[in-house]
Amino acid sequence: MAHDSMPHYMAELVLADRPVLVVGGGRVARRKIEGLLVTGARVTVVAPHLDPVVAGWAATGRIDHWPQAFSILLLDRPPRPLLVFAATDRAELNRSIGAACRKHGLLCNSADDPESSGFLVPAVVRRGAVTVAVGSGGRSPALMRVLKERIDAWLEPGWGELAALFGHWREAIQARIADPEIRQNFWRATAVEAARDPEGPPLRGDAEAWFEARVREQGESF
Ligand SMILES: C[C@@]1(CC(=O)O)C2=NC(=C\c3[nH]c(c(CCC(=O)O)c3CC(=O)O)Cc3[nH]c(c(CC(=O)O)c3CCC(=O)O)/C=C3\N/C(=C\2)[C@@H](CCC(=O)O)[C@]3(C)CC(=O)O)/[C@H]1CCC(=O)O
Ligand SMILES: NC(=O)c1ccc[n+]([C@@H]2O[C@H](COP(=O)([O-])OP(=O)(O)OC[C@H]3O[C@@H](n4cnc5c(N)ncnc54)[C@H](O)[C@@H]3O)[C@@H](O)[C@H]2O)c1
């Protein structure tokens, strides 16, 4: 069975303080590193030459730089990476990095070879802690960029704040509504209510009163 006929598993990786190795330091590596830096990942770049922006990150200590050609031995050099990006301009090298990672049990993203990649990078839109990610299974990054821009133009800014507010209330609601099923119904109904206007009452008004009213209303209908 061809791998690319299988759907991919979308996940939110927690990369803070986790070592990530990026092989190649050009334009494409720069975009991947940009996405990694916001997560707090510990990025090491191995490449003989760096894009000027990547060189700036190395100079200021935001990333580590090993100024050399890739060698398989580097996969075992501390800090041993959790993930690897193969983003050199040499297709054969990217492929052999992918194969070595597979042997090492490491997930590798290959910038020019979706078929052999262990994971693909989606196009991402963020509103605070809320992330919308789109991927085409490697079929068309250009199309994913356009789709991302469309979502970005459409998605209300309030979603991030709303998620923060709901997150803040989780513990209190857990204490107030002991029954897990009733609690789940509460959160579902409350989310539907809030989503009617993501810039609306819970953010503009008194959030505490709003949640209290929801608990009362929902309590009656349970
Ligand atoms: C989403 C995004 C995330 C990111 O990289 O940050 C991303 N590529 C982006 C942009 C983009 N990349 C390319 C173009 C030029 C137009 C075009 O070729 O279509 C544009 C558009 C542009 O720049 O406008 C060229 C390209 N990309 C890949 C190949 C190799 C191949 O497909 O064989 C080639 C051909 C190179 C050549 O021909 O020389 C491969 C991959 N690119 C992926 C992700 C993965 C699949 C995601 C999916 O579709 O599921 C995958 C498989 C591996 C990976 O990199 O993870 C980012 C969105 C930008 C944004 O967010 O604004
Ligand atoms: N995935 C994507 O989104 C995407 C988009 C466009 C292009 N690409 C592909 O990505 C690849 C990289 O493109 P680019 O524009 O960043 O290239 P680039 O020329 O800007 O950078 C290439 C980098 O690879 C490094 N390199 C070369 N040989 C090396 C070695 N032996 N060991 C370690 N590093 C080495 C160079 O020093 C340089 O830093 C190309 O194959 C291109 O087809 C992917």
Short mmCIF file of all heavy atoms in Angstrom, two decimals, residues 51-76:
data_model
loop_
_atom_site.label_atom_id
_atom_site.label_comp_id
_atom_site.label_asym_id
_atom_site.label_seq_id
_atom_site.Cartn_x
_atom_site.Cartn_y
_atom_site.Cartn_z
N ASP A 51 21.86 31.21 5.41
CA ASP A 51 21.08 32.38 4.99
C ASP A 51 21.38 33.50 6.01
O ASP A 51 21.59 33.20 7.19
CB ASP A 51 19.61 31.93 5.02
CG ASP A 51 18.61 33.04 5.04
OD1 ASP A 51 18.39 33.65 6.12
OD2 ASP A 51 18.05 33.30 3.98
N PRO A 52 21.39 34.76 5.59
CA PRO A 52 21.77 35.84 6.52
C PRO A 52 20.88 35.91 7.77
O PRO A 52 21.40 36.20 8.87
CB PRO A 52 21.59 37.12 5.68
CG PRO A 52 21.56 36.68 4.25
CD PRO A 52 21.19 35.23 4.21
N VAL A 53 19.59 35.65 7.63
CA VAL A 53 18.70 35.69 8.81
C VAL A 53 19.05 34.56 9.77
O VAL A 53 19.14 34.75 10.99
CB VAL A 53 17.21 35.62 8.39
CG1 VAL A 53 16.31 35.52 9.62
CG2 VAL A 53 16.83 36.83 7.54
N VAL A 54 19.30 33.37 9.23
CA VAL A 54 19.68 32.22 10.07
C VAL A 54 21.02 32.52 10.75
O VAL A 54 21.20 32.23 11.95
CB VAL A 54 19.75 30.92 9.23
CG1 VAL A 54 20.13 29.74 10.11
CG2 VAL A 54 18.42 30.65 8.52
N ALA A 55 21.93 33.13 10.00
CA ALA A 55 23.24 33.48 10.57
C ALA A 55 23.06 34.45 11.74
O ALA A 55 23.76 34.35 12.77
CB ALA A 55 24.13 34.10 9.49
N GLY A 56 22.10 35.35 11.62
CA GLY A 56 21.80 36.31 12.70
C GLY A 56 21.33 35.57 13.96
O GLY A 56 21.77 35.89 15.07
N TRP A 57 20.44 34.58 13.78
CA TRP A 57 19.96 33.81 14.94
C TRP A 57 21.12 33.08 15.60
O TRP A 57 21.20 32.99 16.82
CB TRP A 57 18.89 32.79 14.50
CG TRP A 57 17.59 33.40 14.10
CD1 TRP A 57 17.02 34.54 14.60
CD2 TRP A 57 16.68 32.90 13.09
NE1 TRP A 57 15.81 34.77 13.97
CE2 TRP A 57 15.58 33.78 13.07
CE3 TRP A 57 16.69 31.80 12.24
CZ2 TRP A 57 14.49 33.60 12.19
CZ3 TRP A 57 15.61 31.60 11.39
CH2 TRP A 57 14.53 32.50 11.36
N ALA A 58 22.04 32.55 14.77
CA ALA A 58 23.20 31.82 15.32
C ALA A 58 24.11 32.80 16.08
O ALA A 58 24.58 32.49 17.18
CB ALA A 58 23.96 31.12 14.20
N ALA A 59 24.30 33.98 15.50
CA ALA A 59 25.21 34.97 16.12
C ALA A 59 24.67 35.44 17.46
O ALA A 59 25.46 35.74 18.37
CB ALA A 59 25.40 36.16 15.17
N THR A 60 23.34 35.50 17.59
CA THR A 60 22.77 35.99 18.85
C THR A 60 22.43 34.85 19.81
O THR A 60 21.80 35.07 20.85
CB THR A 60 21.49 36.82 18.59
OG1 THR A 60 20.58 36.03 17.81
CG2 THR A 60 21.81 38.11 17.86
N GLY A 61 22.79 33.63 19.44
CA GLY A 61 22.59 32.49 20.35
C GLY A 61 21.18 31.94 20.39
O GLY A 61 20.86 31.10 21.23
N ARG A 62 20.32 32.39 19.48
CA ARG A 62 18.96 31.83 19.48
C ARG A 62 18.96 30.39 18.97
O ARG A 62 18.08 29.61 19.30
CB ARG A 62 18.02 32.69 18.61
CG ARG A 62 17.76 34.04 19.24
CD ARG A 62 16.59 34.72 18.58
NE ARG A 62 15.32 34.11 18.96
CZ ARG A 62 14.18 34.32 18.34
NH1 ARG A 62 14.14 35.12 17.30
NH2 ARG A 62 13.07 33.74 18.75
N ILE A 63 19.94 30.07 18.13
CA ILE A 63 20.11 28.68 17.66
C ILE A 63 21.60 28.32 17.75
O ILE A 63 22.44 29.22 17.83
CB ILE A 63 19.62 28.49 16.20
CG1 ILE A 63 20.45 29.37 15.24
CG2 ILE A 63 18.14 28.84 16.06
CD1 ILE A 63 20.16 29.10 13.77
N ASP A 64 21.86 27.02 17.73
CA ASP A 64 23.26 26.57 17.64
C ASP A 64 23.57 26.28 16.19
O ASP A 64 22.69 25.88 15.42
CB ASP A 64 23.48 25.30 18.48
CG ASP A 64 23.56 25.63 19.96
OD1 ASP A 64 24.08 26.72 20.29
OD2 ASP A 64 23.07 24.81 20.76
N HIS A 65 24.84 26.48 15.82
CA HIS A 65 25.24 26.22 14.44
C HIS A 65 26.48 25.33 14.42
O HIS A 65 27.50 25.67 15.05
CB HIS A 65 25.54 27.55 13.72
CG HIS A 65 26.02 27.36 12.32
ND1 HIS A 65 26.93 28.21 11.72
CD2 HIS A 65 25.73 26.39 11.39
CE1 HIS A 65 27.16 27.78 10.49
NE2 HIS A 65 26.46 26.69 10.27
N TRP A 66 26.38 24.20 13.74
CA TRP A 66 27.55 23.38 13.48
C TRP A 66 27.95 23.63 12.03
O TRP A 66 27.25 23.16 11.10
CB TRP A 66 27.23 21.89 13.70
CG TRP A 66 26.88 21.56 15.13
CD1 TRP A 66 27.20 22.29 16.24
CD2 TRP A 66 26.14 20.42 15.59
NE1 TRP A 66 26.72 21.67 17.37
CE2 TRP A 66 26.07 20.53 17.01
CE3 TRP A 66 25.54 19.33 14.97
CZ2 TRP A 66 25.42 19.58 17.80
CZ3 TRP A 66 24.90 18.38 15.75
CH2 TRP A 66 24.84 18.51 17.15
N PRO A 67 29.04 24.38 11.80
CA PRO A 67 29.38 24.80 10.43
C PRO A 67 30.13 23.69 9.68
O PRO A 67 31.34 23.77 9.50
CB PRO A 67 30.28 26.02 10.66
CG PRO A 67 30.85 25.82 12.02
CD PRO A 67 29.94 24.94 12.81
N GLN A 68 29.40 22.70 9.27
CA GLN A 68 30.03 21.57 8.59
C GLN A 68 29.02 20.85 7.71
O GLN A 68 27.81 21.11 7.80
CB GLN A 68 30.55 20.59 9.64
CG GLN A 68 29.44 19.98 10.48
CD GLN A 68 29.97 19.04 11.56
OE1 GLN A 68 30.22 19.44 12.69
NE2 GLN A 68 30.14 17.77 11.19
N ALA A 69 29.51 19.93 6.87
CA ALA A 69 28.61 19.11 6.07
C ALA A 69 27.98 18.05 6.98
O ALA A 69 28.56 17.69 8.01
CB ALA A 69 29.38 18.44 4.94
N PHE A 70 26.79 17.59 6.61
CA PHE A 70 26.09 16.59 7.43
C PHE A 70 26.86 15.28 7.46
O PHE A 70 27.43 14.86 6.46
CB PHE A 70 24.68 16.35 6.87
CG PHE A 70 23.95 15.28 7.62
CD1 PHE A 70 23.37 15.56 8.86
CD2 PHE A 70 23.84 13.99 7.11
CE1 PHE A 70 22.71 14.57 9.58
CE2 PHE A 70 23.17 12.99 7.83
CZ PHE A 70 22.61 13.28 9.05
N SER A 71 26.86 14.64 8.62
CA SER A 71 27.35 13.27 8.74
C SER A 71 26.36 12.53 9.63
O SER A 71 25.79 13.12 10.57
CB SER A 71 28.75 13.29 9.37
OG SER A 71 28.84 12.29 10.36
N ILE A 72 26.18 11.25 9.35
CA ILE A 72 25.21 10.45 10.11
C ILE A 72 25.55 10.44 11.60
O ILE A 72 24.65 10.36 12.44
CB ILE A 72 25.17 9.01 9.52
CG1 ILE A 72 24.27 9.02 8.28
CG2 ILE A 72 24.66 8.00 10.52
CD1 ILE A 72 24.28 7.74 7.50
N LEU A 73 26.83 10.57 11.91
CA LEU A 73 27.26 10.57 13.32
C LEU A 73 26.57 11.69 14.12
O LEU A 73 26.39 11.59 15.33
CB LEU A 73 28.78 10.75 13.42
CG LEU A 73 29.62 9.65 12.76
CD1 LEU A 73 31.10 10.00 12.85
CD2 LEU A 73 29.34 8.31 13.45
N LEU A 74 26.20 12.78 13.40
CA LEU A 74 25.59 13.92 14.10
C LEU A 74 24.22 13.59 14.69
O LEU A 74 23.76 14.27 15.61
CB LEU A 74 25.45 15.11 13.14
CG LEU A 74 26.77 15.69 12.60
CD1 LEU A 74 26.50 16.84 11.66
CD2 LEU A 74 27.66 16.12 13.75
N LEU A 75 23.59 12.52 14.19
CA LEU A 75 22.29 12.14 14.76
C LEU A 75 22.43 11.65 16.20
O LEU A 75 21.47 11.67 16.97
CB LEU A 75 21.62 11.05 13.90
CG LEU A 75 21.24 11.45 12.47
CD1 LEU A 75 20.60 10.28 11.75
CD2 LEU A 75 20.30 12.65 12.46
N ASP A 76 23.65 11.23 16.55
CA ASP A 76 23.89 10.74 17.92
C ASP A 76 24.62 11.76 18.79
O ASP A 76 24.82 11.53 19.98
CB ASP A 76 24.71 9.44 17.88
CG ASP A 76 23.89 8.29 17.31
OD1 ASP A 76 22.72 8.17 17.72
OD2 ASP A 76 24.40 7.55 16.46
#
